[in-house]
Amino acid sequence: MDIPEPRFAVTPYGDVDSAALDNLRQSFDTTALLELVDGLAPMAQRFDRTGGVRDELLRLHRMAHTVINGANPSESSADDLWEVAAALIDEFRQMSDHCLEIAAALQPLADLQPDHDV
């Protein structure tokens, strides 16, 4: 009876595809993960701090509530409503692009998933 070699490797963090692991050992720089963490810092600060994205969205709501619903102005601003919205759109698109870059960088690790059915 021929028993094929296993196509997975047992590691302390679960089974992984052997061929994918061999490939990553030749080509994957784990310090790139640390660079991803560093790259998240500015984005995290925009969510954490006063005057960050949350505050900007609330400001935009107040402005839109006045313009669209006729509420009394509660915001003094030199910026136009559309300028504030456009700036937030740009920022969220940049964040989205960065998140997609992170996902792409992580994909080789997800590709370690073994196929135990083969």
Side-chain angles (χ1 to χ4, degrees):
M1 172 185 243
D2 285 330
I3 300 175
E5 289 289 321
R7 300 177 104 184
F8 64 92
V10 177
T11 77
Y13 299 106
D15 296 348
V16 297
D17 180 281
S18 296
L21 178 60
D22 289 342
N23 185 38
L24 286 186
R25 285 183 170 157
Q26 305 278 332
S27 64
F28 192 82
D29 179 7
T30 59
T31 59
L33 297 173
L34 297 177
E35 292 170 9
L36 294 175
V37 173
D38 290 342
L40 279 176
M43 193 180 336
Q45 288 173 354
R46 283 292 289 148
F47 283 102
D48 283 345
R49 67 177 191 179
T50 302
V53 173
R54 181 181 182 278
D55 289 347
E56 286 297 311
L57 282 171
L58 289 171
R59 176 178 174 231
L60 181 61
H61 168 264
R62 291 188 298 270
M63 294 169 77
H65 187 50
T66 297
V67 171
I68 295 169
N69 300 327
N72 289 327
S74 60
E75 190 73 32
S76 62
S77 177
D79 299 318
D80 290 334
L81 170 72
W82 64 268
E83 289 175 315
V84 175
L88 281 167
I89 289 168
D90 287 345
E91 184 168 9
F92 279 117
R93 284 189 176 145
Q94 288 174 4
M95 287 180 188
S96 175
D97 289 346
H98 187 67
C99 289
L100 291 173
E101 290 171 10
I102 292 170
L106 298 179
Q107 188 60 54
L109 296 173
D111 291 343
L112 287 171
Q113 178 180 2
D115 184 2
H116 287 294
D117 295 332
V118 177

